[in-house]
Amino acid sequence: GRDEDPAVVRAVIVATTLLATCVSAPKSDGPPPPTPHDEGSTAPADAAILHEHQTFESGGLERTYHFLEAPGHQATPKPLVVVLHGGGATIDAFIGRPRGASPMGATWLAAGRREGFHVLIPQGHERQWNDCRRECRHCGTQDDVAFIVDLVRDLSRRFGIDPQRIYVAGESNGGFMTERLATERPDVFAAFGVVTALMPANSECQAPTRPVAITYIVGTEDQTTRYHGGLSVSPRSGSVSSATDSVAL
C-alpha cells in the first residue's frame, strides 16, 4: 500500500465497475452466521449486515476478517467478492476506521450493499500477503492461498454463496496475491481484478494451467509497478513483467 492519488481512485472505481458487472447467492443448513457488530445489530431484515472482526484459524494462525452479508441469501445464493488490501494496510482502515474508508473498501462495500452481493475483506498476516514475488522479503511464509480458500469454503457452508460467482479483487500487495490465486486456484474463483500490480518477473509460483478472466488496472506513469516491466523504484517491491506479458500469461 501507498498514498492514493486521484488517478488511483479512478482506477479502483473502474476496476470495481468491470468486476461488479460479473457479479446477485444455495441455502445453508450449517452453523448460524457470526454475530454482527455495529450496524449489523440494528439493520433492517432487507439490509446488508457487516460482520466485523470475525476470526478464523488457518495454518496455526488466528486470522481476522470483515464480511458483508447480502440480504436474501438464504433463498437465493448470492455472488461473493473477496477484496484484498495492499501491503501494510489493515481491514479496519480499509472500511474507514478510524477515518474515511479507502477508495477500494468504500467502493466495494457500497457496491455490495447496492447490488446485493457478499463482500469478504480478510486481513493479511502482519499486514502482508505471501504473494508470488521471489524478491519480496516482507511478504512472510504463511499459506495465504489455503487461508483464503478455506475461509471462502467455511463461509459457503454458513451463507448462501453462488459457487459459480466467487471473485477476487486486490490492490498492490493484494493485487499480487490475487495473481497467485488466479494461477493456483482458478477452480475456486470465476474472475480476478488486479490494481497496481503485474506478474512478478521472478515468480516462485507455478505457471497458470488454463486461461482465466482477469482485469488489470495499472498506470503508465507508475514507478512502483512499471507498466512496461522492470525493477521498481522500491527495491523491496521487486521486478515485474510488462502489462502485455502479464496479460499473455
Side-chain angles (χ1 to χ4, degrees):
R2 53 181 180 277
D3 292 339
E4 289 129 347
D5 57 32
V8 173
V9 175
R10 288 192 296 271
V12 171
I13 293 173
V14 170
T16 299
T17 302
L18 289 171
L19 199 56
T21 55
C22 301
V23 297
S24 204
K27 184 172 182 180
S28 173
D29 294 323
T35 303
H37 294 258
D38 297 340
E39 60 192 303
S41 59
T42 58
D46 60 348
I49 300 174
L50 182 61
H51 303 278
E52 299 182 41
H53 302 113
Q54 304 302 305
T55 60
F56 183 78
E57 185 172 334
S58 176
L61 300 171
E62 184 176 82
R63 309 294 293 264
T64 60
Y65 64 94
H66 297 326
F67 178 68
L68 182 72
E69 175 190 353
H73 64 87
Q74 298 91 344
T76 305
K78 304 296 183 181
L80 168 66
V81 178
V82 182
V83 189
L84 305 180
H85 62 74
T90 68
I91 55 175
D92 283 337
F94 195 84
I95 65 170
R97 291 171 176 62
R99 53 183 183 273
S102 73
M104 198 162 188
T107 301
W108 278 114
L109 288 179
R113 290 187 174 99
R114 183 179 66 250
E115 303 297 335
F117 58 83
H118 304 294
V119 180
L120 169 61
I121 305 174
Q123 177 66 61
H125 179 57
E126 297 184 349
R127 304 188 181 187
Q128 303 291 335
W129 298 108
N130 182 16
D131 59 50
C132 291
R133 291 173 293 173
R134 192 181 303 278
E135 299 155 310
C136 185
R137 297 291 180 262
H138 58 280
C139 291
T141 60
Q142 70 280 355
D143 190 345
D144 283 324
V145 172
F147 162 53
I148 294 169
V149 171
D150 289 347
L151 178 54
V152 166
R153 287 174 173 165
D154 179 71
L155 292 172
S156 296
R157 287 191 292 267
R158 295 184 287 144
F159 298 90
I161 295 175
D162 186 340
Q164 302 303 314
R165 291 188 292 172
I166 301 176
Y167 310 90
V168 186
E171 61 177 344
S172 193
N173 179 212
F176 286 109
M177 187 64 211
T178 299
E179 291 177 319
R180 181 162 207 161
L181 292 167
T183 60
E184 297 187 3
R185 296 311 304 262
D187 58 313
V188 176
F189 304 101
F192 307 84
V194 178
V195 181
T196 61
L198 290 166
M199 281 291 183
N202 299 309
S203 178
E204 64 181 15
C205 296
Q206 64 187 45
T209 57
R210 67 189 192 194
V212 298
I214 190 165
T215 296
Y216 278 98
I217 305 295
V218 182
T220 55
E221 300 301 315
D222 191 333
Q223 298 301 302
T224 300
T225 303
R226 297 180 183 272
Y227 184 86
H228 297 289
L231 184 64
S232 167
V233 293
S234 173
R236 62 188 257 140
S237 295
S239 302
V240 296
S241 301
S242 68
T244 301
D245 289 342
S246 295
V247 173
L249 289 175

